[in-house]
Amino acid sequence: QVQLVESGGELVQAGGSLRLSCAASGRTFSSYAMGWFRQAPGKEREFVAAISWSGGSTYYGDSVKGRFTISRDNAKNTVYLQMNSLKPEDTAVYYCAARPSYVRYLAREYNYWGQGTQVTVSS
């Protein structure tokens, strides 16, 4: 069982930066692939980024490539999402998710979810 708690979401101006954090409980955090997804009102949940259990491999959705960076600190049971050059279309609730073993891109393939943190980018 893994419990996830996101933090760091807030209102920011276009062009600004934010860092989201996701703190995980459980001793087996280092064996889980971690992902970030987002969901805007009226839209489906969208893949943002994912990182392998070791942190050696990272993956990004096309809309955030070159602007967002995912990382993890297994000693702190925490995964991060650094978001730069934010755009109004990045406005959404951002969710952290975990699944054992390998990275996947579909939300339905993740077993554990946080409650989400709101990111709002003003123009």
Side-chain angles (χ1 to χ4, degrees):
Q1 189 80 8
V2 176
Q3 293 184 324
L4 305 171
V5 179
E6 302 98 332
S7 62
E10 61 181 70
L11 173 65
V12 64
Q13 288 191 334
S17 297
L18 279 178
R19 188 176 82 156
L20 305 183
S21 299
C22 173
S25 66
R27 299 180 210 174
T28 58
F29 173 76
S30 61
S31 66
Y32 282 79
M34 301 297 295
W36 285 97
F37 292 78
R38 66 186 182 187
Q39 189 165 19
K43 294 190 176 181
E44 292 187 355
R45 194 162 293 192
E46 176 190 12
F47 171 76
V48 175
I51 188 166
S52 62
W53 62 270
S54 68
S57 298
T58 56
Y59 308 85
Y60 297 94
D62 288 342
S63 60
V64 307
K65 274 181 188 174
R67 299 189 298 124
F68 290 11
T69 303
I70 189 171
S71 62
R72 67 190 295 162
D73 185 339
N74 285 344
K76 295 183 178 179
N77 280 15
T78 302
V79 63
Y80 305 98
L81 185 68
Q82 177 68 43
M83 305 187 295
N84 299 328
S85 303
L86 283 162
K87 306 175 181 179
E89 51 264 44
D90 294 319
T91 296
V93 177
Y94 282 71
Y95 297 92
C96 173
R99 70 179 311 279
S101 193
Y102 300 110
V103 166
R104 292 292 186 266
Y105 304 108
L106 299 178
R108 64 172 182 263
E109 297 189 273
Y110 283 77
N111 304 79
Y112 304 103
W113 291 84
Q115 83 289 350
T117 186
Q118 176 71 48
V119 172
T120 303
V121 184
S122 64
S123 57

